[in-house]
Amino acid sequence: MVDTGGWYKLCCPSSQLAKPDLLGAIYRVRKHGAQKLPDSAKRSAYARVIKPSLDLTKAWVALKQAAMQRDSKAASVMRELLQEKIAAAATSNESARMARIAAEGLGRLGYRPAVPVLLHATGLTEDAIIEHSLTFALIEIADPALTRAGLKEENARTKRAALIALDQMDGSDLKPSDVIPSLNASDEHLRSAANWVVGHHPDWGGELAGFFRERLAAKNFKNSDRAELEKQLAQLAQDREIQELLGSVLRDPGFADEGWLIVLHAMARAGLKKTPSTWITALWPVVDTDNAVLVKEAVLTARALTLSKTNAMELIGTLSRVAHNAGWPPDVRLDALTALPAGLSSVEPDIFDFLRANLDAKKPPMLRAAAAEIIYRAKLNEEQLIELTDTLKIAGPLELSTLLGAFAHATSEAVGLRLVAALNESKGLAGLRVDLLKPLLEKFPATVQEQGQALLAKLNVDLEKQKAHLEELLASLPKGDIRRGQAIFNSPKTACASCHKIGYVGGLVGPDLTSIGQARTERDLLESVVYPSASFVRSYEPMVVATKSGDEYSGVIKKDAPDEIVLATGPNTEMRIARSDVTEMRPGTVSIMPQGLDEQISRQELADLVAFLKGTKWGAQ
């Protein structure tokens, strides 16, 4: 592929405002009108090129020909060749090639007498390509009885190949008891293979529950072992016995604290549509403790679960107490408020003040986003809405659109006039969408709508004006400094790192910017900062999902599964929508990255940010 130099606008490699130099790329060449040959014709053509007199034991091309033509007479020769060449494969490229082709041929031929030889060969090579050829040959031959012998071998590589082959081949009778011994193997690769096999067998949960109880009772886990165990339990959480196991472990003080943390993480990652009652009854006492680490993780778990007022009254009450306790850190209190189902039906003055304080531009982006989301879901009275308008003046573009949702049910003239006045003074105004603001203003009296017309006109800027503004910015920007730009990128004010990753640090909502400077011009980068909806990076296009209830959600698709869709709607927010509730999915036209960042920072800071992005490069220079 050729780098076109332009970001994507709904899969078209071009920019709306600045056209790239390269408009396309050739990735396949075929003679016009040429017919595609069937496999049989290809093999015949290949056979005419290769002389049939070539010795299989000396020429790899002849061996390849025999494999492709599925010459059964060559099977015994291939088996002997594999035995002969595998030992020298590590030091001889020719031997490695012959061994690999022999393994492929034995698989194509389905030659069962070769299974013991293939298993033995897996223990003699560290070459990943040869190992794959040997394992795939076992899968193609599909003889479970002969392959099962590999599970009894001492060699970890042989066990691993046999385990994977038995899991993948047709007609296999692989059982949980075959896999359990390898879950605790000292060999990392064998253990990883066993974890992988278990991960796509959710029906094995009941037979594995006893094993996992023993594992959770262990102490001093390595980080890698802890992560593996959390992943396994989350993958198997559909099974009722695993659900019961997680709930019982969380109620048993003998598993505190390390086992509890693993269980909490597994529950949060499970993604169940309906939260088991055993989890809820086990969770609220943990939230009610005074252990800061456990409370933080338990609140995050509650936030990830699906709760309702009918099945989680004790947990909801405990979360509310955490939220009202000024002794807990702000992030824990905000997470507790976010976890409350259906939002706040009323907002006490101390909580309202707490939420507004966390919208300050100096606060971390995650706290600001969480506070804005809680206010949006809460039911504010008229006095609180009027107070909130003062906050809109200082709110950043990331939070402004969310906060606007708090006024969705307001109709009084006093609130409407204060809202329009506050938005006129807001530095984040340029990031608001006309299609979001216009229907909101239409709910207010005529006096408010009249005041709002000028506001809407200010937002309804056409493409030519955007292009002119971009030209003016490009010509007037001072020289940027990369180091200062890096500080701006990572600052709470811009919150770029909340969504974008550079190297190993940053968010995953937006595209990775590690080497963006090598592919984009300064003009492209400036456009993406000032007008993020002008063009989209492929795979990060916004989508609008409409539901049966009439709600619409906009975000970047992170998961598109048969049972659910997960949209990333912000730096720390996701929306899970059951596939059965979806009535329509359509491409969005507005990026989840807010517009108006150039109004939040100075021209020098903007120049520094662009210089930093242009300076990002990957690898040795």
Side-chain angles (χ1 to χ4, degrees):
M1 291 296 289
V2 177
D3 184 353
T4 64
W7 285 18
Y8 281 79
K9 177 69 177 178
L10 299 182
C11 300
C12 179
S14 63
S15 159
Q16 277 196 330
L17 302 185
K19 300 299 181 185
D21 296 329
L22 302 177
L23 299 182
I26 296 173
Y27 63 94
R28 177 180 292 175
V29 177
R30 181 191 292 273
K31 184 178 179 181
H32 182 69
Q35 291 184 343
K36 187 175 180 180
L37 290 175
D39 289 343
S40 58
K42 290 179 183 177
R43 286 198 293 269
S44 298
Y46 187 73
R48 287 196 298 271
V49 176
I50 303 301
K51 295 179 180 179
S53 60
L54 287 175
D55 186 348
L56 288 181
T57 63
K58 295 181 180 178
W60 70 266
V61 287
L63 190 64
K64 189 78 173 179
Q65 177 191 1
M68 290 185 66
Q69 293 186 331
R70 289 179 168 82
D71 185 354
S72 59
K73 296 177 182 178
S76 59
V77 177
M78 290 179 181
R79 180 179 60 177
E80 292 171 8
L81 265 178
L82 180 59
Q83 287 178 301
E84 176 188 340
K85 299 295 183 181
I86 190 64
T91 56
S92 168
N93 288 337
E94 184 64 21
S95 293
R97 177 158 43 187
M98 296 289 279
R100 186 176 66 251
I101 296 172
E104 292 172 0
L106 290 168
R108 283 174 178 268
L109 295 171
Y111 190 55
R112 294 190 175 191
V115 170
V117 176
L118 290 165
L119 287 171
H120 180 68
T122 59
L124 300 177
T125 181
E126 296 182 9
D127 186 301
I129 297 175
I130 296 178
E131 183 183 10
H132 176 271
S133 298
L134 295 167
T135 305
F136 191 67
L138 291 169
I139 295 170
E140 285 189 302
I141 293 170
D143 189 321
L146 289 174
T147 306
R148 182 175 287 279
L151 298 178
K152 299 178 181 178
E153 293 290 332
E154 292 296 324
N155 190 291
R157 294 191 194 94
T158 301
K159 281 185 179 179
R160 179 172 180 267
L163 190 63
I164 293 173
L166 285 167
D167 178 65
Q168 295 295 299
M169 70 175 58
D170 293 334
S172 175
D173 58 348
L174 189 66
K175 300 178 179 64
S177 56
D178 298 323
V179 185
I180 287 175
S182 298
L183 290 169
N184 275 332
S186 58
D187 183 85
E188 178 185 355
H189 298 295
L190 175 56
R191 193 169 65 248
S192 177
N195 287 329
W196 175 74
V197 171
V198 166
H200 56 267
H201 283 284
D203 53 310
W204 286 359
E207 296 177 74
L208 292 169
F211 164 78
F212 284 121
R213 179 174 286 277
E214 292 181 8
R215 288 284 287 130
L216 287 166
K219 303 295 181 184
N220 302 318
F221 283 91
K222 294 180 181 178
N223 288 338
S224 58
D225 293 341
R226 183 184 298 109
E228 279 182 2
L229 188 52
E230 290 170 3
K231 183 179 179 181
Q232 290 168 348
L233 291 168
Q235 289 172 329
L236 295 168
Q238 296 283 353
D239 184 271
R240 180 168 294 182
E241 291 192 48
I242 293 295
Q243 294 173 5
E244 293 289 341
L245 169 69
L246 296 179
S248 66
V249 166
L250 200 56
R251 290 192 298 269
D252 189 339
F255 290 89
D257 293 343
E258 196 165 14
W260 283 4
L261 289 173
I262 293 172
V263 166
L264 290 170
H265 292 161
M267 287 178 171
R269 294 174 60 176
L272 300 182
K273 293 180 183 178
K274 184 178 180 181
T275 304
S277 59
T278 54
W279 290 11
I280 294 173
T281 54
L283 187 58
W284 73 261
V286 182
V287 177
D288 209 24
T289 66
D290 56 2
N291 184 314
V293 175
L294 285 175
V295 170
K296 179 180 176 64
E297 295 302 327
V299 168
L300 286 172
T301 300
R303 179 176 173 176
L305 300 178
T306 302
L307 305 178
S308 70
K309 292 183 178 180
T310 58
N311 70 354
M313 289 303 295
E314 295 92 345
L315 180 56
I316 291 171
T318 308
L319 290 169
S320 181
R321 287 194 292 275
V322 170
H324 284 78
N325 187 345
W328 288 114
D331 61 324
V332 175
R333 297 179 66 191
L334 289 169
D335 284 332
L337 288 168
T338 304
L340 296 175
L344 297 170
S345 56
S346 63
V347 184
E348 296 92 334
D350 60 327
I351 291 294
F352 187 59
D353 292 341
F354 167 70
L355 291 171
R356 290 181 63 201
N358 279 283
L359 290 168
D360 188 279
K362 296 179 181 178
K363 296 290 185 179
M366 296 301 184
L367 296 189
R368 300 200 312 257
E373 184 68 23
I374 294 163
I375 289 175
Y376 162 68
R377 295 171 60 217
K379 293 180 175 61
L380 303 181
N381 58 40
E382 185 168 325
E383 182 182 346
Q384 288 173 329
L385 288 172
I386 290 174
E387 287 185 62
L388 185 60
T389 59
D390 292 331
T391 305
L392 297 183
K393 299 175 185 178
I394 61 168
L398 274 174
E399 299 82 43
L400 189 58
S401 295
T402 304
L403 290 172
L404 208 59
F407 296 85
H409 301 290
T411 56
S412 79
E413 182 181 45
V415 172
L417 291 175
R418 288 288 294 268
L419 174 62
V420 172
L423 290 175
N424 270 311
E425 296 180 40
S426 172
K427 291 184 177 181
L429 176 63
L432 281 183
R433 292 157 37 195
V434 173
D435 64 321
L436 185 68
L437 183 58
K438 187 177 179 180
L440 187 69
L441 294 178
E442 289 173 350
K443 297 177 182 179
F444 289 100
T447 52
V448 176
Q449 295 184 40
E450 290 172 8
Q451 293 286 329
Q453 288 303 314
L455 188 63
L456 293 172
K458 195 183 296 186
L459 289 174
N460 198 15
V461 180
D462 61 26
L463 201 59
E464 288 302 317
K465 289 183 179 179
Q466 287 186 354
K467 186 175 181 179
H469 178 53
L470 195 63
E471 294 283 357
E472 185 272 326
L473 275 177
L474 199 61
S476 63
L477 283 183
K479 181 178 176 60
D481 179 84
I482 291 178
R483 290 302 174 201
R484 289 200 305 262
Q486 183 180 25
I488 293 166
F489 183 90
N490 293 316
S491 71
K493 188 176 184 180
T494 61
C496 302
S498 299
C499 293
H500 296 282
K501 186 177 181 181
I502 289 185
Y504 302 106
V505 179
L508 300 174
V509 176
D512 189 317
L513 303 181
T514 301
S515 55
I516 193 68
Q518 294 174 298
R520 304 288 177 252
T521 65
E522 284 88 348
R523 184 186 187 118
D524 285 330
L525 296 170
L526 183 62
E527 176 188 306
S528 69
V529 172
V530 178
Y531 299 117
S533 297
S535 54
F536 305 125
V537 179
R538 192 171 187 178
S539 299
Y540 290 91
E541 302 97 334
M543 291 293 293
V544 177
V545 179
T547 64
K548 291 177 180 178
S549 62
D551 295 321
E552 289 191 349
Y553 303 96
S554 179
V556 175
I557 291 182
K558 288 300 179 184
K559 180 183 178 184
D560 190 356
D563 59 334
E564 70 171 353
I565 293 169
V566 179
L567 288 177
T569 57
N572 196 33
T573 56
E574 287 185 343
M575 178 60 65
R576 292 181 176 272
I577 307 168
R579 174 72 70 173
S580 57
D581 290 337
V582 175
T583 58
E584 181 188 12
M585 291 178 63
R586 62 181 184 273
T589 58
V590 180
S591 172
I592 62 172
M593 174 178 168
Q595 190 170 306
L597 184 59
D598 58 314
E599 301 294 333
Q600 295 285 306
I601 58 179
S602 67
R603 290 289 176 94
Q604 181 61 63
E605 288 174 323
L606 182 60
D608 294 339
L609 179 59
V610 171
F612 169 65
L613 294 173
K614 183 59 183 171
T616 56
K617 294 178 175 65
W618 186 254
Q621 304 298 324

